[in-house]
Structure formats: structure tokens, C-alpha cells
Amino acid sequence: MVATPVESGLHTPRLVRSALVARALSIGLGTTALMWVLSYIAMLQPGEFIGEAIFGLTLLVLVAGGAVAAIADPSGSRRSVLRGIEVGFVSACINLMLVGSLVDGSSAAVWFLGLFGVSIVLGALGGLLGTVLPRFDASHVNWVGMLAAVCAIITFLMIVSGGIVTGFEAGLAVPDWPNSYGHNMLLYPLSEMVADLDSGIFYEHAHRLTGMFVGLASLILCVMLWWGDGRPAVGWLGTLILLMVIGQGILGGLRVTGTFTLSDNPELLSPSTALGIVHGVFGQIVLACIVLTAAIASWTWRSELAPRVIDAAGPAKFLAWALVIALLLQLVIGAIYRHLTSDLEFEPGRTTHILMGHIAMAAVVALLAVINGIRGWMMEEGQPIMRRIGLGILVMVTLQLALGVVAMLLVIKHEPGAPIPPMEVVFTSLHQANGALLLCAAVLMAAWTHRLTTAPASPGQSPVAV
């Protein structure tokens, strides 16, 4: 059973005030993230009618976000419109990162006023819609923890966009950083960004903008963890995540330029494949840390729930962390293989030993994942968190193996120098994305194993000490 804030003794005025802000931020950030996903798809030029329909759906998402905020407000319908306005305002602030690509000096004021005006009106319409929709009891929701979960989703989207960049070998499509072809990154014209999808500029620049979204979200999360959680250790964890995200952005930039410079002159730049590998691996570690933060911020983790005494608690913790380490090693090997075959265009024969290592490590990961998954899934009633994580690990490792086989066949089939088939990018990106989710599940398994279980007291040792 999930503990409520009242049952956990955590229903204080300060937490209530911070929860109101965290609720608006969670729904606003989540709504905007979905809008970005739809906009990304629309810009892939799926067809004139389809693209316009997707953009229209993007606006409806903002209305839906306002409605969700309204029905989640326990104060009733009298503040529903205000809740929708809050979501629209948060969304407009974030979308300032995009509107700069559409404006010129003479129309900037119109675009900015229009952005906030339309966003607030659509959010308010959603709030008004929420007055006639069934309400749900959100008193049990830890909105600071929900904010961390939303930040994890945004980070996951960044990893997916990065996988697409690598899949299309577009990591160097924009030669300079932090500028984009001499433009301020936020002002790079949309028309140039989507002019030629085959150039890879769209995929690379979209990934940079998503990274900035993650940076803003991690800054918000850091502030809210200090204010809304109250535990210094969790506040410092939020600070660490913010620093990790900043470091990840710098790694991504230096991967392109090789040095700190605003120049886009190829003679002054030295793109680094090694930093590309580190950038790809570290991004998934950042995601796992944010997911862990969401778990630690939950009411159940914060409750006075005592760990259950289990004879096999020690080996269970060892196996859980063994899976995490194995996944990290597998992630490194996979990143090395992808970057060597894309950045350096190595012949398949020159990377066969890396691929064989990746396959061999996959067997180790699969064995550990099955052991941990079954252990969590078969946990006795009363540990629903462990049961859900265990089942998730079993499903994801099965899917990962299937995606890996298909992706490997497609990559081997692809001739060096030939155009990259979209289907290859789809499966390699899905393989990478599912691997990131599997790593997050393994980290959650290890964390909750420590939180919910403990070994029996040894002779002469106090059970309290255990």
C-alpha cells in the first residue's frame, strides 16, 4: 500500500505550499514535453495535411493539460480556470526556447505576446473544461516526486533524440557550439533547420534544444527538491543532478568542437569520437539518477515503513547491483560500437570483436535480469513495488534481446557509405531507448531492495542496529 502524506507525518504547511507550485510545474512541463514530441514528428514532413493536423493536436494538448490541472485541484471547480492559466504560463515560458527561431527583429514583440496570449487562453479553456469533468482525488500524489518523474521523461526524450542523431550519423551536422552555424542556438532559423532533412541538421539541432529543455527542467527540479522535500541529502542530490546535466551539455558541445571555441571553421575544430561515447553513456547515467530521485522523493520511501527482514537480503542486494554494473558495461560497449561504425565509418570486420563482446555481455545481462526480475516478481504480497519492477525487468530484457537482434542484422546489412535506411535508425534507437529504461529499472530494483529489505540480526547483534 502506498503511504499518504498524512500517514507519513509529512503534511506540513511548507510542503503544502511547495506542492501547489510543484503541481503546476509538473503538469506544465509534462504538457510542454508532449507538445515538443508532436512538433518533432510534424517537422519530419509526414505530409502537408498530416503535419498540419499534428500541429493542431499540439494546441489541443495544451487544452488537455489545463483540464488535468483543473481536475487535480482539490479546492474544487472555483479555481479551475486559474489552474489552467498556470499550465499555459509555464508552457509559454518553456516554449520561449523555440519561438526565437521564428521571429525577426520587427516581429519579435508580436510573437512573444502571441505565445503567452495563446498559451494562457488555451490553458484557461482547458481549466474551464475541467469544471465539467469528473474530478479525482490527488491528495495522495507527491507532486515534488511527480516533478522528478516528469523530468526523467524529458531526459528520456533527450536520449531518444540523441539516439536518432547517432543513427543518422548526424552528430557533426552542425559544426559549431554553443552556436549553430554562427547563430545563437535559440535563434537558429527554423527554415534552415528543416530545409533538408537528409543533411541531419534538424536531428542534431533538435537534440540540442531538447538538451536545453532538460537543463531548465533540472534547474527547476533542484530548486523544488530543496524547497519541497526538506531533506538536505535530497537537496544535494538535486544539485548533483543539475551539475551532471550541465556537464553532459558541455560534453556534447566538446564532442562537436573538441575545444572551447565559437568558430565553425573546420580547420580549428577537432570533433572527438571518444567524447561522443562518454556523452552517450553519461546521458543514461543522468537519466537513472533522476529516476532514482523520483523514487526517493515518493511518500512510500519517506514513510516510516520498516524494512522487511529477509534471509536472502544480502545476496539480493548483491545481485541487484551486479545487474546495474553489467548494464553499465554493456552500455559502454554498445556506445563504442555505434560510434566507431558511424563516426569513423569502420568496416564491419574492424568492429567484429566489439560486436562479439556486446553479444557476450548481453548473455550476462540477460541472466542477471531474469534472476532479479523473477526475484522481484515473486516477492510476497505487501511488496507491490518490487513486484512491478521485477515484472518490468522481465518484459524489458525480453524486448531488448529482440530489438538487439533486429538492430544487429540491419546494421550488418548496411553497406558503408550507402544512405542509412530509416528502419535501421528506428530499431537501433529503440534498442538504445529500451536499454536506458532497463538501466533505470535495475537502479530502482537495487534502491528499493535496500529500502524495503534487510538481513536478520546476527547472534549478539541488536535487531535495531540491523
Side-chain angles (χ1 to χ4, degrees), residues 392-435:
I393 287 176
L394 291 174
V395 172
M396 283 186 282
V397 74
T398 302
L399 180 60
Q400 185 70 353
L401 291 173
L403 289 172
V405 171
V406 176
M408 179 184 66
L409 294 176
L410 291 172
V411 170
I412 293 176
K413 180 181 178 182
H414 177 225
E415 294 291 335
I420 302 173
M423 193 57 63
E424 177 186 324
V425 178
V426 169
F427 277 95
T428 55
S429 298
L430 285 175
H431 183 61
Q432 179 190 31
N434 190 70

Side-chain angles (χ1 to χ4, degrees), residues 262-451:
L262 296 178
S263 174
D264 58 359
N265 184 351
E267 296 180 358
L268 302 178
L269 304 177
S270 54
S272 173
T273 298
L275 287 180
I277 294 171
V278 175
H279 179 66
V281 172
F282 193 61
Q284 297 201 22
I285 295 175
V286 172
L287 172 63
C289 288
I290 298 177
V291 170
L292 175 62
T293 302
I296 295 175
S298 68
W299 292 134
T300 301
W301 189 288
R302 298 194 62 177
S303 69
E304 298 300 324
L305 179 67
R308 179 169 299 181
V309 177
I310 297 178
D311 290 335
K317 294 174 183 178
F318 172 80
L319 288 171
W321 283 111
L323 175 59
V324 173
I325 294 172
L327 281 167
L328 288 174
L329 291 174
Q330 178 72 328
L331 172 60
V332 171
I333 298 172
I336 292 173
Y337 179 75
R338 288 198 73 185
H339 282 83
L340 289 183
T341 54
S342 62
D343 283 17
L344 303 182
E345 298 183 353
F346 275 17
E347 296 290 338
R350 298 180 63 185
T351 54
T352 300
H353 61 291
I354 302 176
L355 179 60
M356 291 300 102
H358 192 58
I359 294 173
M361 197 65 200
V364 176
V365 168
L367 177 61
L368 289 171
V370 169
I371 293 173
N372 280 277
I374 293 176
R375 178 179 62 82
W377 189 26
M378 300 301 291
M379 189 75 70
E380 61 271 20
E381 296 294 336
Q383 302 282 16
I385 295 174
M386 297 292 290
R387 292 171 64 87
R388 288 194 293 267
I389 296 174
L391 179 59
I393 287 176
L394 291 174
V395 172
M396 283 186 282
V397 74
T398 302
L399 180 60
Q400 185 70 353
L401 291 173
L403 289 172
V405 171
V406 176
M408 179 184 66
L409 294 176
L410 291 172
V411 170
I412 293 176
K413 180 181 178 182
H414 177 225
E415 294 291 335
I420 302 173
M423 193 57 63
E424 177 186 324
V425 178
V426 169
F427 277 95
T428 55
S429 298
L430 285 175
H431 183 61
Q432 179 190 31
N434 190 70
L437 295 178
L438 185 57
L439 174 62
C440 292
V443 169
L444 288 177
M445 172 67 75
W448 282 110
T449 299
H450 278 273
R451 175 64 181 85

Side-chain angles (χ1 to χ4, degrees), residues 183-254:
H183 296 273
N184 180 294
M185 190 187 304
L186 297 178
L187 302 179
Y188 184 63
L190 178 64
S191 58
E192 295 184 22
M193 180 178 172
V194 299
D196 181 12
L197 291 180
D198 292 335
S199 69
I201 294 175
F202 169 75
Y203 305 110
E204 167 63 9
H205 191 67
H207 179 57
R208 293 185 180 192
L209 293 176
T210 308
M212 294 191 70
F213 193 174
V214 172
L216 178 60
S218 63
L219 175 60
I220 293 172
L221 177 62
C222 178
V223 173
M224 291 305 303
L225 288 175
W226 278 107
W227 179 34
D229 188 273
R231 292 170 292 176
V234 177
W236 283 114
L237 179 57
T239 303
L240 176 61
I241 288 173
L242 176 59
L243 294 175
M244 292 173 70
V245 170
I246 294 173
Q248 174 70 351
I250 295 174
L251 281 173
L254 294 180

Side-chain angles (χ1 to χ4, degrees), residues 26-42:
S26 298
I27 300 175
L29 287 171
T31 298
T32 309
L34 182 54
M35 293 172 69
W36 279 40
V37 171
L38 292 174
S39 298
Y40 187 100
I41 296 173

